PDB file of all heavy atoms in Angstrom:
ATOM      1  N   VAL A   1      32.664 111.027 159.181  1.00 98.00           N
ATOM      2  CA  VAL A   1      33.574 112.010 158.530  1.00 98.00           C
ATOM      3  C   VAL A   1      34.994 111.387 158.443  1.00 98.00           C
ATOM      4  O   VAL A   1      35.549 111.002 159.437  1.00 98.00           O
ATOM      5  CB  VAL A   1      33.613 113.323 159.299  1.00 98.00           C
ATOM      6  CG1 VAL A   1      34.605 114.329 158.584  1.00 98.00           C
ATOM      7  CG2 VAL A   1      32.214 113.932 159.351  1.00 98.00           C
ATOM      8  N   ALA A   2      35.499 111.403 157.274  1.00 98.00           N
ATOM      9  CA  ALA A   2      36.886 110.987 157.022  1.00 98.00           C
ATOM     10  C   ALA A   2      37.722 112.171 156.669  1.00 98.00           C
ATOM     11  O   ALA A   2      37.577 112.746 155.578  1.00 98.00           O
ATOM     12  CB  ALA A   2      36.989 109.920 155.899  1.00 98.00           C
ATOM     13  N   LEU A   3      38.561 112.700 157.620  1.00 98.00           N
ATOM     14  CA  LEU A   3      39.489 113.731 157.316  1.00 98.00           C
ATOM     15  C   LEU A   3      40.755 113.102 156.837  1.00 98.00           C
ATOM     16  O   LEU A   3      41.441 112.373 157.538  1.00 98.00           O
ATOM     17  CB  LEU A   3      39.785 114.542 158.608  1.00 98.00           C
ATOM     18  CG  LEU A   3      38.582 115.246 159.216  1.00 98.00           C
ATOM     19  CD1 LEU A   3      39.017 115.956 160.554  1.00 98.00           C
ATOM     20  CD2 LEU A   3      37.875 116.198 158.284  1.00 98.00           C
ATOM     21  N   ILE A   4      41.087 113.315 155.560  1.00 97.00           N
ATOM     22  CA  ILE A   4      42.235 112.624 154.962  1.00 97.00           C
ATOM     23  C   ILE A   4      43.200 113.690 154.383  1.00 97.00           C
ATOM     24  O   ILE A   4      42.900 114.826 154.309  1.00 97.00           O
ATOM     25  CB  ILE A   4      41.778 111.651 153.836  1.00 97.00           C
ATOM     26  CG1 ILE A   4      41.046 112.431 152.720  1.00 97.00           C
ATOM     27  CG2 ILE A   4      40.816 110.596 154.433  1.00 97.00           C
ATOM     28  CD1 ILE A   4      40.638 111.508 151.530  1.00 97.00           C
ATOM     29  N   GLU A   5      44.346 113.187 154.054  1.00 94.00           N
ATOM     30  CA  GLU A   5      45.362 114.039 153.448  1.00 94.00           C
ATOM     31  C   GLU A   5      44.904 114.499 152.065  1.00 94.00           C
ATOM     32  O   GLU A   5      44.115 113.821 151.426  1.00 94.00           O
ATOM     33  CB  GLU A   5      46.709 113.319 153.369  1.00 94.00           C
ATOM     34  CG  GLU A   5      47.401 113.075 154.755  1.00 94.00           C
ATOM     35  CD  GLU A   5      47.603 114.387 155.510  1.00 94.00           C
ATOM     36  OE1 GLU A   5      48.297 115.265 154.957  1.00 94.00           O
ATOM     37  OE2 GLU A   5      47.112 114.502 156.674  1.00 94.00           O
ATOM     38  N   PRO A   6      45.467 115.611 151.586  1.00 90.00           N
ATOM     39  CA  PRO A   6      45.099 116.055 150.165  1.00 90.00           C
ATOM     40  C   PRO A   6      45.359 114.926 149.190  1.00 90.00           C
ATOM     41  O   PRO A   6      46.317 114.184 149.353  1.00 90.00           O
ATOM     42  CB  PRO A   6      46.122 117.213 149.978  1.00 90.00           C
ATOM     43  CG  PRO A   6      46.321 117.796 151.352  1.00 90.00           C
ATOM     44  CD  PRO A   6      46.379 116.580 152.214  1.00 90.00           C
ATOM     45  N   LEU A   7      44.465 114.805 148.239  1.00 91.00           N
ATOM     46  CA  LEU A   7      44.537 113.703 147.291  1.00 91.00           C
ATOM     47  C   LEU A   7      45.336 114.098 146.083  1.00 91.00           C
ATOM     48  O   LEU A   7      45.207 115.283 145.591  1.00 91.00           O
ATOM     49  CB  LEU A   7      43.090 113.299 146.846  1.00 91.00           C
ATOM     50  CG  LEU A   7      42.195 112.779 147.962  1.00 91.00           C
ATOM     51  CD1 LEU A   7      40.780 112.619 147.446  1.00 91.00           C
ATOM     52  CD2 LEU A   7      42.741 111.454 148.516  1.00 91.00           C
ATOM     53  N   ASP A   8      46.059 113.148 145.506  1.00 89.00           N
ATOM     54  CA  ASP A   8      46.578 113.420 144.193  1.00 89.00           C
ATOM     55  C   ASP A   8      45.503 113.446 143.157  1.00 89.00           C
ATOM     56  O   ASP A   8      44.317 113.099 143.472  1.00 89.00           O
ATOM     57  CB  ASP A   8      47.722 112.427 143.843  1.00 89.00           C
ATOM     58  CG  ASP A   8      47.235 110.995 143.728  1.00 89.00           C
ATOM     59  OD1 ASP A   8      46.024 110.765 143.603  1.00 89.00           O
ATOM     60  OD2 ASP A   8      48.083 110.076 143.809  1.00 89.00           O
ATOM     61  N   TYR A   9      45.782 113.745 141.946  1.00 91.00           N
ATOM     62  CA  TYR A   9      44.741 113.951 140.957  1.00 91.00           C
ATOM     63  C   TYR A   9      43.918 112.702 140.638  1.00 91.00           C
ATOM     64  O   TYR A   9      42.686 112.744 140.570  1.00 91.00           O
ATOM     65  CB  TYR A   9      45.285 114.662 139.717  1.00 91.00           C
ATOM     66  CG  TYR A   9      44.183 115.247 138.790  1.00 91.00           C
ATOM     67  CD1 TYR A   9      43.132 115.946 139.369  1.00 91.00           C
ATOM     68  CD2 TYR A   9      44.272 115.118 137.436  1.00 91.00           C
ATOM     69  CE1 TYR A   9      42.175 116.514 138.561  1.00 91.00           C
ATOM     70  CE2 TYR A   9      43.258 115.660 136.638  1.00 91.00           C
ATOM     71  CZ  TYR A   9      42.220 116.364 137.194  1.00 91.00           C
ATOM     72  OH  TYR A   9      41.235 116.900 136.433  1.00 91.00           O
ATOM     73  N   PRO A  10      44.602 111.562 140.498  1.00 94.00           N
ATOM     74  CA  PRO A  10      43.782 110.393 140.198  1.00 94.00           C
ATOM     75  C   PRO A  10      42.819 110.007 141.327  1.00 94.00           C
ATOM     76  O   PRO A  10      41.659 109.668 141.059  1.00 94.00           O
ATOM     77  CB  PRO A  10      44.840 109.254 139.990  1.00 94.00           C
ATOM     78  CG  PRO A  10      46.027 109.975 139.550  1.00 94.00           C
ATOM     79  CD  PRO A  10      46.061 111.294 140.303  1.00 94.00           C
ATOM     80  N   HIS A  11      43.271 110.192 142.580  1.00 94.00           N
ATOM     81  CA  HIS A  11      42.340 109.911 143.681  1.00 94.00           C
ATOM     82  C   HIS A  11      41.259 110.977 143.742  1.00 94.00           C
ATOM     83  O   HIS A  11      40.130 110.674 144.180  1.00 94.00           O
ATOM     84  CB  HIS A  11      43.159 109.800 144.973  1.00 94.00           C
ATOM     85  CG  HIS A  11      43.878 108.530 145.136  1.00 94.00           C
ATOM     86  ND1 HIS A  11      45.202 108.400 144.756  1.00 94.00           N
ATOM     87  CD2 HIS A  11      43.468 107.306 145.589  1.00 94.00           C
ATOM     88  CE1 HIS A  11      45.573 107.111 145.037  1.00 94.00           C
ATOM     89  NE2 HIS A  11      44.526 106.457 145.501  1.00 94.00           N
ATOM     90  N   PHE A  12      41.578 112.207 143.444  1.00 93.00           N
ATOM     91  CA  PHE A  12      40.506 113.218 143.424  1.00 93.00           C
ATOM     92  C   PHE A  12      39.447 112.949 142.376  1.00 93.00           C
ATOM     93  O   PHE A  12      38.275 113.132 142.615  1.00 93.00           O
ATOM     94  CB  PHE A  12      41.027 114.634 143.284  1.00 93.00           C
ATOM     95  CG  PHE A  12      40.065 115.706 143.507  1.00 93.00           C
ATOM     96  CD1 PHE A  12      39.627 115.979 144.795  1.00 93.00           C
ATOM     97  CD2 PHE A  12      39.500 116.411 142.428  1.00 93.00           C
ATOM     98  CE1 PHE A  12      38.623 116.935 144.948  1.00 93.00           C
ATOM     99  CE2 PHE A  12      38.510 117.372 142.655  1.00 93.00           C
ATOM    100  CZ  PHE A  12      38.116 117.664 143.910  1.00 93.00           C
ATOM    101  N   ALA A  13      39.949 112.515 141.224  1.00 93.00           N
ATOM    102  CA  ALA A  13      38.984 112.095 140.186  1.00 93.00           C
ATOM    103  C   ALA A  13      38.100 110.978 140.644  1.00 93.00           C
ATOM    104  O   ALA A  13      36.893 110.923 140.375  1.00 93.00           O
ATOM    105  CB  ALA A  13      39.707 111.734 138.915  1.00 93.00           C
ATOM    106  N   ARG A  14      38.693 110.035 141.427  1.00 94.00           N
ATOM    107  CA  ARG A  14      37.907 108.918 141.982  1.00 94.00           C
ATOM    108  C   ARG A  14      36.921 109.445 143.050  1.00 94.00           C
ATOM    109  O   ARG A  14      35.746 108.950 143.047  1.00 94.00           O
ATOM    110  CB  ARG A  14      38.844 107.906 142.625  1.00 94.00           C
ATOM    111  CG  ARG A  14      38.133 106.723 143.285  1.00 94.00           C
ATOM    112  CD  ARG A  14      37.369 105.899 142.270  1.00 94.00           C
ATOM    113  NE  ARG A  14      36.658 104.764 142.921  1.00 94.00           N
ATOM    114  CZ  ARG A  14      35.690 104.090 142.370  1.00 94.00           C
ATOM    115  NH1 ARG A  14      35.348 104.389 141.126  1.00 94.00           N
ATOM    116  NH2 ARG A  14      35.103 103.138 142.980  1.00 94.00           N
ATOM    117  N   LEU A  15      37.288 110.433 143.852  1.00 96.00           N
ATOM    118  CA  LEU A  15      36.352 110.986 144.783  1.00 96.00           C
ATOM    119  C   LEU A  15      35.143 111.608 144.064  1.00 96.00           C
ATOM    120  O   LEU A  15      33.963 111.425 144.462  1.00 96.00           O
ATOM    121  CB  LEU A  15      37.057 112.005 145.651  1.00 96.00           C
ATOM    122  CG  LEU A  15      36.157 112.731 146.668  1.00 96.00           C
ATOM    123  CD1 LEU A  15      35.471 111.781 147.607  1.00 96.00           C
ATOM    124  CD2 LEU A  15      36.928 113.793 147.455  1.00 96.00           C
ATOM    125  N   LEU A  16      35.453 112.378 143.047  1.00 95.00           N
ATOM    126  CA  LEU A  16      34.342 112.960 142.249  1.00 95.00           C
ATOM    127  C   LEU A  16      33.411 111.831 141.713  1.00 95.00           C
ATOM    128  O   LEU A  16      32.186 112.027 141.703  1.00 95.00           O
ATOM    129  CB  LEU A  16      34.899 113.728 141.064  1.00 95.00           C
ATOM    130  CG  LEU A  16      35.620 115.115 141.383  1.00 95.00           C
ATOM    131  CD1 LEU A  16      36.156 115.704 140.090  1.00 95.00           C
ATOM    132  CD2 LEU A  16      34.597 116.092 142.017  1.00 95.00           C
ATOM    133  N   ASP A  17      33.977 110.768 141.316  1.00 92.00           N
ATOM    134  CA  ASP A  17      33.240 109.596 140.708  1.00 92.00           C
ATOM    135  C   ASP A  17      32.297 108.986 141.722  1.00 92.00           C
ATOM    136  O   ASP A  17      31.126 108.680 141.418  1.00 92.00           O
ATOM    137  CB  ASP A  17      34.208 108.623 140.133  1.00 92.00           C
ATOM    138  CG  ASP A  17      33.474 107.610 139.213  1.00 92.00           C
ATOM    139  OD1 ASP A  17      32.556 108.039 138.446  1.00 92.00           O
ATOM    140  OD2 ASP A  17      33.903 106.452 139.259  1.00 92.00           O
ATOM    141  N   ILE A  18      32.780 108.808 142.965  1.00 95.00           N
ATOM    142  CA  ILE A  18      31.982 108.085 143.975  1.00 95.00           C
ATOM    143  C   ILE A  18      31.067 108.988 144.765  1.00 95.00           C
ATOM    144  O   ILE A  18      30.168 108.561 145.485  1.00 95.00           O
ATOM    145  CB  ILE A  18      32.902 107.279 144.921  1.00 95.00           C
ATOM    146  CG1 ILE A  18      33.758 108.169 145.728  1.00 95.00           C
ATOM    147  CG2 ILE A  18      33.682 106.234 144.131  1.00 95.00           C
ATOM    148  CD1 ILE A  18      34.623 107.434 146.790  1.00 95.00           C
ATOM    149  N   ALA A  19      31.282 110.271 144.660  1.00 97.00           N
ATOM    150  CA  ALA A  19      30.512 111.281 145.462  1.00 97.00           C
ATOM    151  C   ALA A  19      29.099 111.371 144.933  1.00 97.00           C
ATOM    152  O   ALA A  19      28.878 111.356 143.689  1.00 97.00           O
ATOM    153  CB  ALA A  19      31.201 112.608 145.469  1.00 97.00           C
ATOM    154  N   HIS A  20      28.138 111.566 145.825  1.00 98.00           N
ATOM    155  CA  HIS A  20      26.731 111.845 145.508  1.00 98.00           C
ATOM    156  C   HIS A  20      26.637 113.388 145.134  1.00 98.00           C
ATOM    157  O   HIS A  20      25.926 113.716 144.227  1.00 98.00           O
ATOM    158  CB  HIS A  20      25.866 111.487 146.667  1.00 98.00           C
ATOM    159  CG  HIS A  20      24.408 111.600 146.402  1.00 98.00           C
ATOM    160  ND1 HIS A  20      23.730 110.774 145.480  1.00 98.00           N
ATOM    161  CD2 HIS A  20      23.464 112.489 146.858  1.00 98.00           C
ATOM    162  CE1 HIS A  20      22.432 111.148 145.428  1.00 98.00           C
ATOM    163  NE2 HIS A  20      22.254 112.147 146.251  1.00 98.00           N
ATOM    164  N   LEU A  21      27.383 114.172 145.848  1.00 98.00           N
ATOM    165  CA  LEU A  21      27.414 115.602 145.622  1.00 98.00           C
ATOM    166  C   LEU A  21      28.707 116.148 146.190  1.00 98.00           C
ATOM    167  O   LEU A  21      29.344 115.461 146.963  1.00 98.00           O
ATOM    168  CB  LEU A  21      26.150 116.328 146.204  1.00 98.00           C
ATOM    169  CG  LEU A  21      25.882 116.311 147.683  1.00 98.00           C
ATOM    170  CD1 LEU A  21      26.523 117.518 148.337  1.00 98.00           C
ATOM    171  CD2 LEU A  21      24.448 116.196 148.028  1.00 98.00           C
ATOM    172  N   MET A  22      29.004 117.387 145.813  1.00 98.00           N
ATOM    173  CA  MET A  22      30.242 118.029 146.290  1.00 98.00           C
ATOM    174  C   MET A  22      29.906 119.331 147.035  1.00 98.00           C
ATOM    175  O   MET A  22      29.087 120.133 146.563  1.00 98.00           O
ATOM    176  CB  MET A  22      31.181 118.374 145.132  1.00 98.00           C
ATOM    177  CG  MET A  22      31.765 117.166 144.431  1.00 98.00           C
ATOM    178  SD  MET A  22      32.880 116.131 145.473  1.00 98.00           S
ATOM    179  CE  MET A  22      34.221 117.309 145.827  1.00 98.00           C
ATOM    180  N   LEU A  23      30.575 119.518 148.199  1.00 98.00           N
ATOM    181  CA  LEU A  23      30.539 120.784 148.935  1.00 98.00           C
ATOM    182  C   LEU A  23      31.897 121.370 148.764  1.00 98.00           C
ATOM    183  O   LEU A  23      32.934 120.683 149.008  1.00 98.00           O
ATOM    184  CB  LEU A  23      30.269 120.508 150.422  1.00 98.00           C
ATOM    185  CG  LEU A  23      28.891 120.236 150.874  1.00 98.00           C
ATOM    186  CD1 LEU A  23      28.880 119.889 152.340  1.00 98.00           C
ATOM    187  CD2 LEU A  23      27.957 121.370 150.622  1.00 98.00           C
ATOM    188  N   THR A  24      32.027 122.597 148.307  1.00 97.00           N
ATOM    189  CA  THR A  24      33.319 123.119 148.015  1.00 97.00           C
ATOM    190  C   THR A  24      33.337 124.660 148.056  1.00 97.00           C
ATOM    191  O   THR A  24      32.267 125.294 147.879  1.00 97.00           O
ATOM    192  CB  THR A  24      33.793 122.619 146.625  1.00 97.00           C
ATOM    193  OG1 THR A  24      35.148 123.005 146.406  1.00 97.00           O
ATOM    194  CG2 THR A  24      32.973 123.258 145.484  1.00 97.00           C
ATOM    195  N   ASP A  25      34.512 125.266 148.268  1.00 93.00           N
ATOM    196  CA  ASP A  25      34.734 126.673 147.985  1.00 93.00           C
ATOM    197  C   ASP A  25      35.768 126.791 146.858  1.00 93.00           C
ATOM    198  O   ASP A  25      36.257 127.885 146.587  1.00 93.00           O
ATOM    199  CB  ASP A  25      35.099 127.487 149.246  1.00 93.00           C
ATOM    200  CG  ASP A  25      36.348 126.982 149.920  1.00 93.00           C
ATOM    201  OD1 ASP A  25      37.125 126.184 149.296  1.00 93.00           O
ATOM    202  OD2 ASP A  25      36.629 127.433 151.015  1.00 93.00           O
ATOM    203  N   SER A  26      36.112 125.724 146.224  1.00 88.00           N
ATOM    204  CA  SER A  26      37.082 125.714 145.134  1.00 88.00           C
ATOM    205  C   SER A  26      36.448 126.118 143.796  1.00 88.00           C
ATOM    206  O   SER A  26      35.281 125.920 143.547  1.00 88.00           O
ATOM    207  CB  SER A  26      37.656 124.310 144.998  1.00 88.00           C
ATOM    208  OG  SER A  26      38.329 124.144 143.751  1.00 88.00           O
ATOM    209  N   GLY A  27      37.313 126.749 142.984  1.00 83.00           N
ATOM    210  CA  GLY A  27      36.797 127.072 141.649  1.00 83.00           C
ATOM    211  C   GLY A  27      36.768 125.877 140.744  1.00 83.00           C
ATOM    212  O   GLY A  27      35.750 125.608 140.064  1.00 83.00           O
ATOM    213  N   GLY A  28      37.828 125.094 140.707  1.00 83.00           N
ATOM    214  CA  GLY A  28      37.963 123.983 139.783  1.00 83.00           C
ATOM    215  C   GLY A  28      36.888 122.917 139.982  1.00 83.00           C
ATOM    216  O   GLY A  28      36.347 122.391 138.991  1.00 83.00           O
ATOM    217  N   VAL A  29      36.507 122.654 141.201  1.00 92.00           N
ATOM    218  CA  VAL A  29      35.423 121.629 141.429  1.00 92.00           C
ATOM    219  C   VAL A  29      34.164 122.041 140.828  1.00 92.00           C
ATOM    220  O   VAL A  29      33.370 121.193 140.390  1.00 92.00           O
ATOM    221  CB  VAL A  29      35.279 121.406 142.944  1.00 92.00           C
ATOM    222  CG1 VAL A  29      34.174 120.397 143.242  1.00 92.00           C
ATOM    223  CG2 VAL A  29      36.615 120.835 143.558  1.00 92.00           C
ATOM    224  N   GLN A  30      33.855 123.346 140.741  1.00 93.00           N
ATOM    225  CA  GLN A  30      32.650 123.827 140.133  1.00 93.00           C
ATOM    226  C   GLN A  30      32.611 123.467 138.629  1.00 93.00           C
ATOM    227  O   GLN A  30      31.543 123.303 138.082  1.00 93.00           O
ATOM    228  CB  GLN A  30      32.536 125.361 140.229  1.00 93.00           C
ATOM    229  CG  GLN A  30      32.357 125.800 141.677  1.00 93.00           C
ATOM    230  CD  GLN A  30      32.406 127.301 141.770  1.00 93.00           C
ATOM    231  OE1 GLN A  30      31.684 127.999 141.109  1.00 93.00           O
ATOM    232  NE2 GLN A  30      33.312 127.853 142.566  1.00 93.00           N
ATOM    233  N   GLU A  31      33.771 123.236 138.034  1.00 90.00           N
ATOM    234  CA  GLU A  31      33.886 122.858 136.634  1.00 90.00           C
ATOM    235  C   GLU A  31      33.907 121.359 136.455  1.00 90.00           C
ATOM    236  O   GLU A  31      33.331 120.715 135.563  1.00 90.00           O
ATOM    237  CB  GLU A  31      35.122 123.440 135.996  1.00 90.00           C
ATOM    238  CG  GLU A  31      35.135 124.984 136.083  1.00 90.00           C
ATOM    239  CD  GLU A  31      36.596 125.528 136.135  1.00 90.00           C
ATOM    240  OE1 GLU A  31      37.529 124.750 136.273  1.00 90.00           O
ATOM    241  OE2 GLU A  31      36.692 126.744 136.021  1.00 90.00           O
ATOM    242  N   GLU A  32      34.685 120.683 137.360  1.00 91.00           N
ATOM    243  CA  GLU A  32      34.958 119.265 137.214  1.00 91.00           C
ATOM    244  C   GLU A  32      33.762 118.368 137.556  1.00 91.00           C
ATOM    245  O   GLU A  32      33.413 117.437 136.834  1.00 91.00           O
ATOM    246  CB  GLU A  32      36.159 118.856 138.132  1.00 91.00           C
ATOM    247  CG  GLU A  32      37.441 119.495 137.670  1.00 91.00           C
ATOM    248  CD  GLU A  32      38.516 119.408 138.757  1.00 91.00           C
ATOM    249  OE1 GLU A  32      38.197 119.814 139.905  1.00 91.00           O
ATOM    250  OE2 GLU A  32      39.641 119.026 138.455  1.00 91.00           O
ATOM    251  N   ALA A  33      33.120 118.634 138.710  1.00 93.00           N
ATOM    252  CA  ALA A  33      32.031 117.811 139.179  1.00 93.00           C
ATOM    253  C   ALA A  33      30.938 117.687 138.163  1.00 93.00           C
ATOM    254  O   ALA A  33      30.403 116.604 137.874  1.00 93.00           O
ATOM    255  CB  ALA A  33      31.535 118.290 140.522  1.00 93.00           C
ATOM    256  N   PRO A  34      30.488 118.836 137.551  1.00 92.00           N
ATOM    257  CA  PRO A  34      29.395 118.710 136.610  1.00 92.00           C
ATOM    258  C   PRO A  34      29.762 117.826 135.360  1.00 92.00           C
ATOM    259  O   PRO A  34      28.829 117.276 134.742  1.00 92.00           O
ATOM    260  CB  PRO A  34      29.156 120.165 136.127  1.00 92.00           C
ATOM    261  CG  PRO A  34      29.581 120.986 137.291  1.00 92.00           C
ATOM    262  CD  PRO A  34      30.778 120.230 137.833  1.00 92.00           C
ATOM    263  N   ALA A  35      31.045 117.731 135.053  1.00 90.00           N
ATOM    264  CA  ALA A  35      31.452 116.860 133.962  1.00 90.00           C
ATOM    265  C   ALA A  35      31.182 115.413 134.222  1.00 90.00           C
ATOM    266  O   ALA A  35      30.973 114.606 133.322  1.00 90.00           O
ATOM    267  CB  ALA A  35      32.954 117.004 133.677  1.00 90.00           C
ATOM    268  N   LEU A  36      30.965 115.105 135.545  1.00 90.00           N
ATOM    269  CA  LEU A  36      30.583 113.721 135.955  1.00 90.00           C
ATOM    270  C   LEU A  36      29.202 113.651 136.479  1.00 90.00           C
ATOM    271  O   LEU A  36      28.790 112.677 137.131  1.00 90.00           O
ATOM    272  CB  LEU A  36      31.617 113.247 136.995  1.00 90.00           C
ATOM    273  CG  LEU A  36      33.088 113.192 136.562  1.00 90.00           C
ATOM    274  CD1 LEU A  36      33.940 112.708 137.743  1.00 90.00           C
ATOM    275  CD2 LEU A  36      33.231 112.207 135.408  1.00 90.00           C
ATOM    276  N   GLY A  37      28.411 114.720 136.280  1.00 92.00           N
ATOM    277  CA  GLY A  37      27.010 114.717 136.712  1.00 92.00           C
ATOM    278  C   GLY A  37      26.824 114.857 138.168  1.00 92.00           C
ATOM    279  O   GLY A  37      25.788 114.420 138.697  1.00 92.00           O
ATOM    280  N   LYS A  38      27.713 115.531 138.877  1.00 96.00           N
ATOM    281  CA  LYS A  38      27.595 115.664 140.344  1.00 96.00           C
ATOM    282  C   LYS A  38      27.222 117.067 140.675  1.00 96.00           C
ATOM    283  O   LYS A  38      27.988 118.065 140.359  1.00 96.00           O
ATOM    284  CB  LYS A  38      28.875 115.257 140.984  1.00 96.00           C
ATOM    285  CG  LYS A  38      29.369 113.847 140.693  1.00 96.00           C
ATOM    286  CD  LYS A  38      28.273 112.787 140.923  1.00 96.00           C
ATOM    287  CE  LYS A  38      28.634 111.444 140.342  1.00 96.00           C
ATOM    288  NZ  LYS A  38      29.626 110.730 141.065  1.00 96.00           N
ATOM    289  N   PRO A  39      26.140 117.307 141.427  1.00 97.00           N
ATOM    290  CA  PRO A  39      25.776 118.667 141.859  1.00 97.00           C
ATOM    291  C   PRO A  39      26.856 119.279 142.796  1.00 97.00           C
ATOM    292  O   PRO A  39      27.483 118.533 143.531  1.00 97.00           O
ATOM    293  CB  PRO A  39      24.484 118.441 142.641  1.00 97.00           C
ATOM    294  CG  PRO A  39      23.920 117.142 142.114  1.00 97.00           C
ATOM    295  CD  PRO A  39      25.130 116.298 141.809  1.00 97.00           C
ATOM    296  N   VAL A  40      26.934 120.585 142.739  1.00 97.00           N
ATOM    297  CA  VAL A  40      27.953 121.235 143.512  1.00 97.00           C
ATOM    298  C   VAL A  40      27.277 122.414 144.335  1.00 97.00           C
ATOM    299  O   VAL A  40      26.565 123.206 143.742  1.00 97.00           O
ATOM    300  CB  VAL A  40      29.058 121.965 142.627  1.00 97.00           C
ATOM    301  CG1 VAL A  40      30.173 122.601 143.468  1.00 97.00           C
ATOM    302  CG2 VAL A  40      29.648 120.959 141.669  1.00 97.00           C
ATOM    303  N   LEU A  41      27.530 122.394 145.610  1.00 98.00           N
ATOM    304  CA  LEU A  41      27.112 123.502 146.495  1.00 98.00           C
ATOM    305  C   LEU A  41      28.320 124.285 146.825  1.00 98.00           C
ATOM    306  O   LEU A  41      29.318 123.752 147.414  1.00 98.00           O
ATOM    307  CB  LEU A  41      26.416 122.946 147.800  1.00 98.00           C
ATOM    308  CG  LEU A  41      25.145 122.207 147.567  1.00 98.00           C
ATOM    309  CD1 LEU A  41      24.557 121.724 148.913  1.00 98.00           C
ATOM    310  CD2 LEU A  41      24.101 123.063 146.835  1.00 98.00           C
ATOM    311  N   VAL A  42      28.311 125.539 146.409  1.00 97.00           N
ATOM    312  CA  VAL A  42      29.486 126.404 146.503  1.00 97.00           C
ATOM    313  C   VAL A  42      29.433 127.277 147.791  1.00 97.00           C
ATOM    314  O   VAL A  42      28.561 128.143 147.901  1.00 97.00           O
ATOM    315  CB  VAL A  42      29.597 127.309 145.260  1.00 97.00           C
ATOM    316  CG1 VAL A  42      30.884 128.110 145.297  1.00 97.00           C
ATOM    317  CG2 VAL A  42      29.519 126.472 144.007  1.00 97.00           C
ATOM    318  N   MET A  43      30.369 127.015 148.669  1.00 96.00           N
ATOM    319  CA  MET A  43      30.403 127.687 149.982  1.00 96.00           C
ATOM    320  C   MET A  43      31.180 128.962 149.937  1.00 96.00           C
ATOM    321  O   MET A  43      32.209 129.206 150.508  1.00 96.00           O
ATOM    322  CB  MET A  43      30.978 126.723 150.988  1.00 96.00           C
ATOM    323  CG  MET A  43      30.169 125.435 151.190  1.00 96.00           C
ATOM    324  SD  MET A  43      30.844 124.334 152.420  1.00 96.00           S
ATOM    325  CE  MET A  43      32.394 123.890 151.693  1.00 96.00           C
ATOM    326  N   ARG A  44      30.610 129.853 149.051  1.00 93.00           N
ATOM    327  CA  ARG A  44      31.197 131.165 148.828  1.00 93.00           C
ATOM    328  C   ARG A  44      30.066 132.178 148.694  1.00 93.00           C
ATOM    329  O   ARG A  44      28.935 131.798 148.293  1.00 93.00           O
ATOM    330  CB  ARG A  44      32.136 131.189 147.621  1.00 93.00           C
ATOM    331  CG  ARG A  44      33.421 130.429 147.898  1.00 93.00           C
ATOM    332  CD  ARG A  44      34.176 130.199 146.552  1.00 93.00           C
ATOM    333  NE  ARG A  44      34.490 131.382 145.848  1.00 93.00           N
ATOM    334  CZ  ARG A  44      35.148 131.407 144.729  1.00 93.00           C
ATOM    335  NH1 ARG A  44      35.567 130.261 144.125  1.00 93.00           N
ATOM    336  NH2 ARG A  44      35.404 132.547 144.075  1.00 93.00           N
ATOM    337  N   GLU A  45      30.355 133.448 148.863  1.00 87.00           N
ATOM    338  CA  GLU A  45      29.338 134.507 148.667  1.00 87.00           C
ATOM    339  C   GLU A  45      29.188 134.880 147.189  1.00 87.00           C
ATOM    340  O   GLU A  45      28.118 135.318 146.776  1.00 87.00           O
ATOM    341  CB  GLU A  45      29.675 135.727 149.509  1.00 87.00           C
ATOM    342  CG  GLU A  45      29.860 135.463 151.011  1.00 87.00           C
ATOM    343  CD  GLU A  45      28.659 134.864 151.626  1.00 87.00           C
ATOM    344  OE1 GLU A  45      27.531 135.174 151.211  1.00 87.00           O
ATOM    345  OE2 GLU A  45      28.816 134.072 152.580  1.00 87.00           O
ATOM    346  N   THR A  46      30.272 134.717 146.430  1.00 87.00           N
ATOM    347  CA  THR A  46      30.234 135.065 145.040  1.00 87.00           C
ATOM    348  C   THR A  46      30.985 133.932 144.280  1.00 87.00           C
ATOM    349  O   THR A  46      31.756 133.169 144.867  1.00 87.00           O
ATOM    350  CB  THR A  46      30.972 136.384 144.722  1.00 87.00           C
ATOM    351  OG1 THR A  46      32.368 136.253 145.187  1.00 87.00           O
ATOM    352  CG2 THR A  46      30.364 137.509 145.482  1.00 87.00           C
TER     353      THR A  46
END
């Protein structure tokens, strides 16, 4: 596990690119990750 500081947008786009999948409770990631073909597991009830 790498706990790192919040990423600026270019680095976050890079994380999306290298990730196999995303775990998130964010709204935006639910939109961004699929644009790069990455499955998203949403850690929210709704």
